[in-house]
Amino acid sequence: QVQLVESGGGLVQAGGSLRLSCAASGRTFSSYVMGWFRQAPGKERVFVAGITWSGSETSYSDSVKDRFIISRDNAKNTVYLQMNSLKPEDTAIYYCAARSFPHVRDRNSDYAYWGQGTQVTVSS
């Protein structure tokens, strides 16, 4: 079992940056694949980025590739999402998620544990 708490969301102008954090509690955080998802108003929750336990494998959605960077610090039980060159279409609630299988996946159903989400709003 793992509990996830996101932080770092807020209001930013287009072109700006934010860094989201997801703090995990519970055992064996380092064995979990971690993912970030987002849900815009009126839309389904979709995959943004994922990272394996070692950090050796990362994956990004096409919409954020080359702008966002996912990373993790297993000593701090924390995963990060550095978001650069933000656009109004990045506005959403961002969720952290964890799965106990070895590879990054992009479906909601592949992740067993979820945080409560943090709001990111990008103004034009």
Side-chain angles (χ1 to χ4, degrees), residues 10 25 28 31 45 57 59 61 98 103 105-106 108:
S25 60
T28 63
S31 66
R45 188 165 58 188
E57 175 189 343
S59 179
S61 67
H103 298 294
R105 293 291 183 263
D106 61 4
N108 286 268

Side-chain angles (χ1 to χ4, degrees), residues 3-119:
Q3 294 78 42
L4 305 172
V5 178
E6 303 94 336
S7 62
L11 174 64
V12 63
Q13 288 189 331
S17 298
L18 280 175
R19 189 177 80 155
L20 305 183
S21 299
C22 173
S25 60
R27 57 180 185 174
T28 63
F29 166 79
S30 61
S31 66
Y32 286 87
V33 166
M34 302 299 296
W36 285 98
F37 288 72
R38 68 186 182 187
Q39 186 168 22
K43 297 187 177 181
E44 295 184 348
R45 188 165 58 188
V46 297
F47 176 79
V48 174
I51 187 168
T52 53
W53 68 271
S54 67
S56 62
E57 175 189 343
T58 58
S59 179
Y60 298 90
S61 67
D62 288 342
S63 62
V64 308
K65 195 173 295 185
D66 299 326
R67 297 189 298 123
F68 290 11
I69 301 171
I70 188 170
S71 62
R72 67 190 295 163
D73 185 338
N74 289 337
K76 296 182 178 180
N77 283 6
T78 302
V79 63
Y80 305 97
L81 186 68
Q82 177 66 43
M83 305 187 296
N84 302 317
S85 302
L86 283 161
K87 305 175 181 180
E89 51 264 43
D90 294 318
T91 294
I93 300 173
Y94 283 71
Y95 296 90
C96 176
R99 69 189 302 265
S100 58
F101 297 94
H103 298 294
V104 176
R105 293 291 183 263
D106 61 4
R107 299 180 305 178
N108 286 268
S109 59
D110 290 318
Y111 293 78
Y113 305 103
W114 293 85
Q116 294 300 306
T118 185
Q119 176 70 48

